Amino acid sequence: MRNFLFCFLTILTVSLSGQNLGITYIANEGVLIESAGKKVIIDALFDKYYDDYLHPDEALLEKMISGEAPYDDVDLLLSTHIHRDHFAPTMTGRFLKAHPETKLISSAQLAKSVTDDYAEGKTIGKQLEGIVRDTRKHEREVNGIKVTAFFIYHAGGSRTRNIENMGYLVEVNGKKILHLGDSDMNPDRFRELDLKSLGVDIAMVPYWYMADETGVSIIKDFIKPKDLVGIHFPKAGSPMALEEIAKNFPKARVFQKVFEKSQF
Ligand SMILES: [Zn+2]
């Protein structure tokens, strides 16, 4: 009996402290994060627009919108910015309308796009929060998930300055997952944000960070994640970039196929 109890308690402790967290790749920078009944979708609601990057096909979009498992009971929807390889206002609006349980936290620019460009935008206003761009970290708690949202300029310099790009650190069942959207590799901004002080378990970064000197030092000096995943890899991505990444981060992976999944 004592042995049995010991075993039971050990299993209980292990399962509580080591909650399995799964990240399923949807397309481009789109992912589904799942852990012990909690679900977060980031940058996955868009259709074919740019040919260079993967996109969810129509059947997958309809599954997500209609809430077919595993896309049911989604606690939180995050969209980093309004570019069409990350976000489409109509699909995002339809998703929120069909998922009254889900909240979207994004930039004021993106929230406005959903309200204005989705025909029934006015009816889902309560599910949307649009944060006005500034330099602070914004903390929220939604359906038991903690989110720290912040702005970093979009990659590409002055050409894309008007695009309000957000990064997110979400905490799901004790694990902290970072998603950078298309953040510019600006060491000063990363120094200012000091993400490593928040404790990053898994960082999802645009793959070019992992193959670039400045990007590598941002990851190593200012993010310091336990696990690293590259996203935004093109359909015809460079094998040389993958080799470089394998050299710089031997344990990291780069998502390349729809539905590939990592457990952490
Ligand atoms: Zn972009």
Side-chain angles (χ1 to χ4, degrees):
M1 183 64 192
R2 199 181 282 169
N3 263 344
F4 168 76
L5 243 183
F6 177 76
C7 263
F8 175 74
L9 287 175
T10 309
I11 290 164
L12 190 71
T13 319
V14 168
S15 64
L16 285 180
S17 60
Q19 296 283 12
N20 236 5
L21 181 130
I23 300 182
T24 306
Y25 190 47
I26 308 279
N28 197 30
E29 288 199 353
V31 290
L32 166 69
I33 301 168
E34 294 172 275
S35 174
K38 294 285 174 203
K39 291 179 193 172
V40 183
I41 288 179
I42 308 178
D43 273 7
L45 291 164
F46 63 98
D47 56 358
K48 185 174 176 166
Y49 191 82
Y50 294 111
D51 217 14
D52 293 349
Y53 302 103
L54 290 171
H55 63 90
D57 65 20
E58 213 168 301
L60 176 53
L61 279 167
E62 289 310 318
K63 260 188 190 178
M64 289 194 275
I65 290 168
S66 68
E68 198 175 303
Y71 311 103
D72 52 337
D73 295 324
V74 175
D75 299 286
L76 178 64
L77 180 65
L78 301 170
S79 301
T80 60
H81 64 293
I82 57 169
H83 279 160
R84 285 289 274 103
D85 51 341
H86 298 256
F87 159 82
T90 303
M91 270 131 225
T92 303
R94 286 182 58 213
F95 182 93
L96 290 170
K97 175 110 183 164
H99 294 251
E101 79 283 5
T102 309
K103 287 247 155 59
L104 168 67
I105 298 177
S106 188
S107 66
Q109 182 180 51
L110 191 139
K112 185 175 184 319
S113 169
V114 177
T115 319
D116 294 355
D117 303 333
Y118 167 53
E120 296 177 73
K122 299 280 178 293
T123 66
I124 51 165
K126 282 202 180 116
Q127 290 165 261
L128 281 173
E129 183 185 355
I131 301 175
V132 175
R133 177 152 73 170
D134 64 8
T135 57
R136 291 180 302 141
K137 296 201 266 282
H138 299 263
E139 288 175 24
R140 300 288 184 274
E141 185 156 352
V142 178
N143 294 329
I145 297 168
K146 282 191 202 140
V147 190
T148 305
F150 47 85
F151 291 93
I152 299 180
Y153 283 127
H154 191 285
S158 56
R159 204 164 41 85
T160 50
R161 258 307 113 96
N162 65 321
I163 300 297
E164 298 176 2
N165 179 72
M166 292 210 96
Y168 302 101
L169 185 70
V170 291
E171 186 175 345
V172 188
N173 287 321
K175 282 222 165 82
K176 292 179 180 170
I177 306 114
L178 178 72
H179 191 297
L180 287 180
D182 282 355
S183 290
D184 190 27
M185 292 190 288
N186 177 347
D188 293 337
R189 179 63 180 136
F190 280 96
R191 183 181 294 113
E192 182 177 50
L193 282 166
D194 194 19
L195 298 169
K196 69 173 188 289
S197 72
L198 304 177
V200 179
D201 291 299
I202 305 147
M204 285 183 277
V205 306
Y207 77 97
W208 57 83
Y209 275 64
M210 301 157 77
D212 175 281
E213 206 181 320
T214 306
V216 169
S217 77
I218 287 172
I219 293 166
K220 290 187 172 166
D221 300 337
F222 302 127
I223 302 176
K224 285 192 190 294
K226 292 193 191 113
D227 287 294
L228 183 62
V229 180
I231 48 179
H232 216 315
F233 198 71
K235 284 194 232 169
S238 138
M240 263 164 59
L242 292 177
E243 275 170 33
E244 192 64 29
I245 289 168
K247 236 186 285 160
N248 294 335
F249 300 100
K251 284 190 289 183
R253 69 181 296 172
V254 177
F255 279 149
Q256 294 171 70
K257 284 200 197 93
V258 174
F259 296 135
E260 66 178 295
K261 188 168 178 174
S262 277
Q263 294 283 353
F264 299 93

